Amino acid sequence: SLTSGLSEREANDALTAHCYRDLTLVNRDGMNVVLMKINQILMEKFLKLQDVCRTQLVWLVRELVKSGVLGADGVLMTLMKQIAGGDISSKNLWLAENVLDILVDQREWVLKSGMLIAMSVYTYLRLIVDHHGSPPLLALRQKEVDFCIGLLREKFMDCFIIGRDLVRLLQNVARIPEMELLWRDLLHNPQTLSPQFTGVLQLLSSRTSRKFLACRLTPDMETKLLFMTSRVRFGQQKRYQDWFQRQYLSTADSQSLRCDLIRYICGVVHPSNEVLSSDILPRWAIIGWLLTTCTSNVAASNAKLALFYDWLFFNPEKDSIMNIEPAILVMHHSMKPHPAITATLLDFMCRIIPNFYPPLEANVRQGIFNSLTFIMEKRVLAHLAPLFDNPKLDRELRSMLRERFPEFCNSPSPPAEVKMEESVTLEMDNHVLEKEDGCYDNTEATFSDDEEELNNKGKKREFRFHPIKEAIIDEPADITPFVDQLDETLREKVLQLQKESDTEMQCEVMQEIVDLILEEDFDSEQMSTLASCLAELFKGHFRGDVLPEEITEESLEESVCKPVCLVFRNLCQMQEDNSGFSVLLDMLAELYQKQPKIGYHLLYYLKASKAAMGKMSLYESFAQATALGDLHTCLMMDMKACQEDDVRLLCYLTPSIYSEFPDETLRSGELLNMIVAVIDSTQLQELMCHVMMGNLVMFRKDSVLNILIQSLDWETFEQYSTWQLFLAHSIPLETIIPILQHLKYKEHPEALSCLLLQLRREKPTEEMVKMVLSRPCHPEDQFTTSILRHWAVKHDDTLGEHIKALLIKNNSLPRKRQSLRSSSSKLAQLTLEQILEHLDNLRLNLMNTKHNFFTQTPILQALQHVQASCDEAHKMRFSDLFSLAEEFEDSSKPPKSRRKAPVASSLRSRKGVAPPASNEEESASSSASVCARVWLGVCQSEHGCSCVSSALPYCQSNCVTLLYSMYMGVYICFFR
């Protein structure tokens, strides 16, 4: 209402007069509270702000800057961080232009802060790349160019603190005319920029601080990336990557963001030893994903440069191994699954040496040499020869590598002396070879390459990496940094809580604190500080086992009588429409940020406490109140934390979690994998009992097949446990029988074993038989033959009918030979040849037994049907199989029908054999009668007719040979 009908200037004056003036009058802390709140909104709530609120927030920041409020530069840098790279949406452009206007209008104020100068130049040099094309974008770009050039020429040494990434950003915009002049001065006249600046090598030798690399990711991007690199299991990252792709990398303009992400991962994300020794998604895997999903050549080249940028002028004394490690691991781990990725990166590494900047070619070569040497010394890889001289690389690339880096191609040892024999080879379970700086300095722990020496049995020696658990020292809680920020009443209660040692008294004090929180005049600004105090005071509650050793009603109730559970209890006693309900949720959300274990402790309370009976849905409200804001993500994180801390508790919670949150637990195998990865045989049996008693459902028909397919990549015990849990359910086997087409006999023995045992209990259906026969026929794969043999003995009639139906059905299809083994990504299709192969194997298996499976009328009828229409090649290949049908035909037809002179004469004509003289026929008649009995029905399958009449005159001398061949089971026909 204040700005209605006024111009922009008048509206600004009106707002300033009525609002900002009052704010300056009432504040007593130099606007400190205001700055803190603005920072909080910018970091946590900016994406949720409506347009009007964003406009007002930018206006307020502008007024703080105009007033010269101490600390306003920090708020402005936080606001700049919200300008997303690779985003030319109207909202993002509006924000970029408004922040730039503040910087330009308040230039004198900006020049007082060296960090703000550097951060502004870094931000807008990066944004210039995105702003091209339409006139409005070009106008904005010109403003950005003028702003950056002005600061770079006037305050170059303030910009120098950016480090080598300043050169990378300038290189991207050097073709803009005004920038080109600056670029030339940078390369050829450095003194014109600053007397202290000696040249571009001085800048390239300076490592870029992580605060600059981080400033080009919005808080939301940063949160998601840090989540993936600290909480997501390797192998389960696809859904998170897909979300990130949709959100930030789905447009053509967003391709430029990949460089920011790669520089951030290399320079900022340096995982702890605990994370590195776990199965958390490694950095190289994320970078590999970013490289393989590039959609333009320019973006791909820039992404590769971003990955190798710290290599070019690497100095082991100043630079970190963690900055160069992702590149070598991307190449190492991509060699087998994606050799093209490794090849293109190695090629880039070689070609960048002469092409980056010819006058500094020697320096770049030395930087890359230093990087490779340091990688060897720190044992990131055992040696580089298998990478540089790998047969999967083409000759030209291998030759170039040998020319550029001969020291690393000819020997498994690095050029610097490393005492290999003194180190112990370890191989981490997830093959992630990353280590923090300190861990690399530990010469007792090295990491094996794929070409590591084999033991005497020809198998690689495998060692498990077990992180050393530090002894827990109970230090007294220190709330000094926080408690003074609380108001007097709350501070007294928190200090009283700290002094109390009796649990019952602590609970009483905690209830009083909760009551204070629920009062209407409670200052919500203190919530975060209070959460910090409580997290510190209750840290002892989050150690050790939560679940009692002996589970009874009394022991469970006793286990939830802790001060932190008072918040849970109050939450359960409230209605969701109660104002205090949201206040307590906010309290828990703040506590969750300080102590992530609070999540699974809440789940435990909701299951174990009588007061929480039927209240498990409260957890969903809690998840939505957290910074994650998503039930699935929150639940998976909490169950993962529980898995790492207390496996017994994980098993105790499992039935409730699956029953209360079926949509989150049954749609993927994420939670199931967490469970089977840590349970023992006793816990597995207990879970199976829960399933059979109806307390637990871990699979449902619409998703079980996908989950079982996911499990094929899990460890052996994990797979067996998964199948045991599946078999405890009453899901028809036909639901998951299509998994057979995904199973390879050498790669998936666990699943094949479980399926085989289950199939033998089933009466075969046509779909089952079809899937079994769809497996590729391989001499070493006995799966199909074994289950067919079992069915042939137990259910011969049923199996015979199904095979007849499949033979006739597939015999009517077009005769196109399908490759069954050409691609692992294509599911096998059932073909006639495949059925015949498996039937022939079954025939051989049953040959020396008394089983009469192949004497069944349906089988013989089907074989006759196929034989009548198949080509000569198939008749020859499966002659023994078809001969069974010929015998059947002979027993069902009059003998005279077999002796047809025209057929015999046509055979002679076809084979080019002249008719014999009549006297030869008579002389051979006596011995021919023996041959007739031997050959009858044997050779016929090869030619589709009776060859007796044509064979008799010529087989007299071969009669003994033929009989012997028959006896040995080798059927010979001289007329093939």
Side-chain angles (χ1 to χ4, degrees):
S1 61
L2 290 172
T3 61
S4 178
L6 301 179
S7 67
E8 185 176 355
R9 180 177 293 277
E10 290 170 339
N12 184 65
D13 292 341
L15 287 170
T16 302
H18 288 84
C19 302
Y20 189 75
R21 179 194 62 192
D22 294 343
L23 193 61
T24 57
L25 289 173
V26 301
N27 98 87
R28 293 292 183 270
D29 62 351
M31 293 285 190
N32 187 48
V33 169
V34 174
L35 294 174
M36 286 176 59
K37 177 54 68 176
I38 292 176
N39 258 321
Q40 183 183 355
I41 293 172
L42 286 171
M43 292 297 290
E44 300 174 10
K45 306 293 184 184
F46 187 78
L47 294 178
K48 298 180 180 179
L49 290 184
Q50 297 183 15
D51 292 347
V52 173
C53 299
R54 290 192 185 199
T55 303
Q56 291 175 323
L57 185 61
V58 172
W59 168 81
L60 181 55
V61 172
R62 181 185 288 111
E63 294 304 316
L64 292 169
V65 170
K66 284 169 62 177
S67 302
V69 173
L70 188 64
D73 55 342
V75 169
L76 190 57
M77 285 188 277
T78 306
L79 186 59
M80 265 195 293
K81 187 175 172 67
Q82 285 290 357
I83 308 171
D87 181 359
I88 56 171
S89 63
S90 57
K91 286 185 178 181
N92 200 55
L93 292 175
W94 174 85
L95 182 61
E97 187 164 16
N98 274 271
V99 173
L100 182 61
D101 288 342
I102 296 174
L103 293 167
V104 171
D105 294 343
Q106 304 301 320
R107 181 180 174 84
E108 293 303 317
W109 174 81
V110 171
L111 295 179
K112 296 176 184 178
S113 171
M115 180 54 69
L116 181 58
I117 291 171
M119 199 69 76
S120 303
V121 168
Y122 190 90
T123 297
Y124 281 95
L125 277 178
R126 165 63 187 87
L127 294 175
I128 287 171
V129 176
D130 298 330
H131 300 159
H132 58 84
S134 63
L137 282 175
L138 291 175
L140 174 58
R141 185 175 81 170
Q142 190 58 50
K143 289 171 64 176
E144 294 167 337
V145 168
D146 295 341
F147 171 74
C148 291
I149 287 178
L151 287 181
L152 282 165
R153 288 200 175 276
E154 187 175 343
K155 292 286 186 179
F156 183 80
M157 291 314 291
D158 286 317
C159 300
F160 182 89
I161 64 172
I162 294 173
R164 59 175 65 113
D165 276 80
L166 177 59
V167 179
R168 182 177 64 86
L169 295 181
L170 285 169
Q171 193 173 6
N172 290 336
V173 298
R175 292 187 179 181
I176 298 174
E178 298 92 335
M179 283 293 183
E180 188 174 4
L181 296 174
L182 179 72
W183 180 248
R184 289 178 180 174
D185 286 342
L186 182 77
L187 298 180
H188 307 300
N189 302 301
Q191 297 290 307
T192 60
L193 297 174
S194 172
Q196 301 166 266
F197 183 47
T198 59
V200 69
L201 180 60
Q202 180 188 7
L203 191 54
L204 287 167
S205 301
S206 175
R207 177 182 173 186
T208 298
S209 168
R210 59 176 59 191
K211 65 182 68 174
F212 293 107
L213 300 177
C215 82
R216 284 297 72 237
L217 267 64
T218 66
D220 188 58
M221 292 180 196
E222 196 169 9
T223 299
K224 298 302 188 295
L225 265 186
L226 290 174
F227 173 76
M228 281 198 283
T229 55
S230 62
R231 305 302 293 269
V232 175
R233 261 184 107 174
F234 192 20
Q236 297 181 349
Q237 68 269 27
K238 187 178 185 304
R239 63 187 296 267
Y240 302 99
Q241 290 174 347
D242 289 347
W243 181 93
F244 200 95
Q245 178 96 14
R246 288 194 304 271
Q247 193 76 7
Y248 297 115
L249 297 171
S250 58
T251 65
D253 300 293
S254 65
Q255 296 304 305
S256 62
L257 180 61
R258 295 179 190 275
C259 297
D260 302 330
L261 296 171
I262 291 173
R263 293 300 295 143
Y264 178 85
I265 292 169
C266 291
V268 180
V269 182
H270 292 178
S272 66
N273 283 346
E274 183 181 3
V275 171
L276 291 169
S277 61
S278 70
D279 57 357
I280 294 298
L281 179 65
R283 297 186 300 164
W284 62 261
I286 300 179
I287 291 175
W289 162 65
L290 291 171
L291 291 173
T292 54
T293 52
C294 274
T295 58
S296 83
N297 292 331
V298 174
S301 296
N302 289 337
K304 285 182 277 190
L305 181 61
L307 179 61
F308 281 104
Y309 208 66
D310 288 311
W311 287 53
L312 307 184
F313 299 90
F314 184 80
N315 183 344
E317 296 180 1
K318 298 179 181 178
D319 293 303
S320 168
I321 185 69
M322 297 299 282
N323 288 39
I324 62 173
E325 182 211 51
I328 198 71
L329 290 179
V330 170
M331 293 188 286
H332 170 71
H333 288 285
S334 299
M335 181 61 83
K336 287 185 178 179
H338 306 291
I341 293 293
T342 302
T344 189
L345 291 176
L346 288 171
D347 182 76
F348 182 88
M349 186 177 70
C350 291
R351 297 184 190 278
I352 197 69
I353 294 174
N355 295 315
F356 179 72
Y357 184 45
L360 295 181
E361 179 179 350
N363 301 85
V364 176
R365 183 188 304 277
Q366 185 62 44
I368 294 180
F369 181 86
N370 290 344
S371 300
L372 292 171
T373 303
F374 205 51
I375 283 167
M376 300 283 284
E377 289 178 354
K378 295 300 182 183
R379 312 298 292 134
V380 180
L381 294 182
H383 44 85
L384 295 174
L387 181 64
F388 286 5
D389 197 25
N390 196 294
K392 291 189 177 182
L393 305 176
D394 61 64
R395 288 185 179 180
E396 182 183 354
L397 178 55
R398 292 165 69 182
S399 175
M400 184 162 54
L401 285 164
R402 281 193 293 270
E403 179 185 345
R404 293 272 196 272
F405 311 108
E407 305 89 344
F408 302 101
C409 294
N410 300 326
S411 170
S413 304
E417 183 180 353
V418 179
K419 295 182 178 180
M420 296 281 290
E421 67 277 4
E422 294 181 7
S423 62
V424 179
T425 302
L426 299 178
E427 184 177 17
M428 293 168 58
D429 291 348
N430 58 349
H431 306 289
V432 179
L433 308 183
E434 301 178 24
K435 288 288 140 185
E436 189 65 74
D437 294 14
C439 185
Y440 277 112
D441 293 333
N442 180 6
T443 57
E444 291 301 310
T446 62
F447 296 84
S448 66
D449 184 64
D450 282 343
E451 320 304 337
E452 198 65 66
E453 63 179 278
L454 306 179
N455 65 10
N456 56 0
K457 292 186 179 179
K459 295 182 180 178
K460 190 186 299 183
R461 297 181 65 195
E462 182 177 341
F463 296 86
R464 300 289 178 122
F465 186 93
H466 298 286
I468 299 172
K469 292 186 177 180
E470 298 178 3
I472 298 175
I473 302 173
D474 286 327
E475 297 179 355
D478 181 14
I479 57 174
T480 307
F482 316 109
V483 72
D484 290 337
Q485 300 176 40
L486 300 173
D487 65 35
E488 185 176 355
T489 307
L490 195 55
R491 182 168 61 247
E492 288 179 0
K493 294 298 179 186
V494 170
L495 290 173
Q496 184 181 352
L497 185 63
Q498 183 183 25
K499 293 175 183 177
E500 291 290 351
S501 57
D502 181 70
T503 303
E504 191 173 340
M505 290 301 298
Q506 285 181 332
C507 290
E508 290 183 10
V509 177
M510 187 63 206
Q511 183 59 55
E512 293 174 3
I513 292 174
V514 170
D515 293 340
L516 288 174
I517 295 172
L518 296 176
E519 290 181 359
E520 291 185 5
D521 60 348
F522 176 73
D523 184 3
S524 59
E525 299 297 328
Q526 299 187 85
M527 195 74 83
S528 178
T529 306
L530 176 59
S532 298
C533 292
L534 295 177
E536 180 67 18
L537 290 174
F538 296 153
K539 61 184 180 182
H541 295 183
F542 297 104
R543 293 180 187 152
D545 295 336
V546 180
L547 195 64
E549 191 65 33
E550 184 179 353
I551 300 177
T552 63
E553 288 188 13
E554 294 76 15
S555 63
L556 288 175
E557 280 300 322
E558 186 178 349
S559 68
V560 294
C561 291
K562 297 177 180 178
V564 71
C565 296
L566 261 296
V567 184
F568 305 155
R569 188 174 72 185
N570 281 269
L571 197 64
C572 292
Q573 292 172 347
M574 289 182 177
Q575 299 295 325
E576 292 193 19
D577 55 356
N578 189 316
S579 60
F581 185 82
S582 60
V583 173
L584 286 183
L585 281 180
D586 291 341
M587 177 69 219
L588 283 177
E590 289 288 347
L591 196 55
Y592 188 59
Q593 287 191 327
K594 323 293 182 187
Q595 175 51 271
K597 295 181 182 183
I598 199 76
Y600 74 78
H601 278 255
L602 173 59
L603 286 169
Y604 173 67
Y605 179 86
L606 293 174
K607 173 164 185 177
S609 175
K610 291 180 180 178
M613 189 174 295
K615 297 281 188 176
M616 186 64 80
S617 59
L618 285 178
Y619 179 82
E620 185 171 356
S621 302
F622 161 75
Q624 291 168 352
T626 64
L628 297 170
D630 174 62
L631 174 59
H632 181 83
T633 304
C634 194
L635 183 62
M636 292 304 115
M637 285 180 61
D638 291 340
M639 295 304 283
K640 178 63 178 174
C642 180
Q643 179 223 41
E644 293 170 352
D645 291 348
D646 192 341
V647 178
R648 285 183 67 239
L649 179 58
L650 177 72
C651 295
Y652 176 77
L653 291 176
T654 294
S656 297
I657 299 303
Y658 270 95
S659 61
E660 293 291 338
F661 309 110
D663 290 338
E664 313 305 323
T665 54
L666 296 174
R667 66 187 184 189
S668 75
E670 193 171 351
L671 178 57
L672 177 64
N673 195 5
M674 286 184 206
I675 295 167
V676 297
V678 292
I679 59 174
D680 58 26
S681 54
T682 302
Q683 291 160 337
L684 171 62
Q685 191 264 344
E686 290 174 356
L687 289 176
M688 291 174 66
C689 290
H690 280 299
V691 171
M692 297 186 70
M693 290 189 296
N695 301 329
L696 173 61
V697 176
M698 303 182 80
F699 300 98
R700 63 185 180 194
K701 289 184 180 180
D702 62 345
S703 58
V704 61
L705 178 59
N706 288 332
I707 292 176
L708 289 177
I709 292 172
Q710 290 175 36
S711 74
L712 298 178
D713 295 325
W714 300 351
E715 295 294 330
T716 293
F717 183 77
E718 295 172 11
Q719 288 195 54
Y720 279 128
S721 298
T722 300
W723 279 96
Q724 291 292 320
L725 290 168
F726 165 74
L727 295 175
H729 290 69
S730 298
I731 298 176
L733 195 62
E734 286 186 330
T735 307
I736 58 99
I737 198 68
I739 197 176
L740 266 176
Q741 298 191 27
H742 296 264
L743 304 182
K744 299 177 182 177
Y745 74 97
K746 282 189 175 180
E747 297 176 22
H748 307 122
E750 300 91 349
L752 283 169
S753 301
C754 294
L755 262 179
L756 187 63
L757 293 176
Q758 187 61 18
L759 282 170
R760 74 189 301 272
R761 300 175 187 151
E762 301 282 332
K763 185 176 181 180
T765 63
E766 185 173 332
E767 182 65 18
M768 286 183 189
V769 177
K770 177 183 176 181
M771 288 297 168
V772 168
L773 292 172
S774 295
R775 292 187 56 73
C777 199
H778 193 281
E780 296 179 26
D781 184 3
Q782 302 294 324
F783 180 90
T784 299
T785 304
S786 60
I787 191 59
L788 287 178
R789 186 186 193 282
H790 176 79
W791 283 339
V793 174
K794 297 289 185 181
H795 309 284
D796 54 347
D797 294 343
T798 307
L799 180 62
E801 290 293 342
H802 293 326
I803 288 179
K804 175 185 176 181
L806 291 170
L807 272 172
I808 293 174
K809 188 183 301 180
N810 281 271
N811 190 44
S812 64
L813 295 175
R815 298 247 183 267
K816 291 184 179 178
R817 179 179 175 83
Q818 302 177 30
S819 173
L820 301 176
R821 306 172 185 88
S822 60
S823 172
S824 60
S825 64
K826 296 180 181 178
L827 298 182
Q829 299 296 320
L830 183 60
T831 65
L832 177 63
E833 181 178 358
Q834 216 169 358
I835 301 175
L836 293 175
E837 283 181 326
H838 287 306
L839 284 180
D840 206 35
N841 287 339
L842 179 61
R843 178 189 64 80
L844 292 172
N845 185 266
L846 295 175
M847 181 183 294
N848 297 320
T849 68
K850 296 180 180 180
H851 296 298
N852 300 318
F853 178 74
F854 283 99
T855 63
Q856 295 182 92
T857 299
I859 293 291
L860 297 175
Q861 287 174 340
L863 288 175
Q864 281 184 344
H865 180 85
V866 173
Q867 182 187 9
S869 58
C870 70
D871 54 34
E872 290 296 324
H874 281 80
K875 289 178 181 177
M876 292 175 63
R877 183 176 176 188
F878 301 108
S879 60
D880 296 339
L881 189 62
F882 288 138
S883 71
L884 303 175
E886 291 298 334
E887 293 173 2
F888 167 75
E889 183 182 53
D890 182 59
S891 64
S892 62
K893 293 184 179 180
K896 290 182 180 180
S897 65
R898 289 189 165 276
R899 307 178 68 87
K900 295 181 181 179
V903 175
S905 61
S906 67
L907 177 64
R908 284 197 298 271
S909 173
R910 187 180 58 185
K911 297 297 181 180
V913 180
S918 59
N919 61 338
E920 291 178 357
E921 286 189 36
E922 292 172 3
S923 64
S925 62
S926 59
S927 60
S929 61
V930 179
C931 293
R933 289 194 296 273
V934 174
W935 282 50
L936 189 61
V938 175
C939 295
Q940 182 180 10
S941 62
E942 299 294 327
H943 307 293
C945 64
S946 175
C947 61
V948 175
S949 58
S950 59
L952 296 185
Y954 304 104
C955 67
Q956 182 176 7
S957 61
N958 299 306
C959 187
V960 175
T961 304
L962 289 169
L963 285 172
Y964 181 71
S965 299
M966 282 289 292
Y967 177 74
M968 295 300 293
V970 181
Y971 300 151
I972 298 175
C973 175
F974 292 163
F975 288 85
R976 285 184 175 176

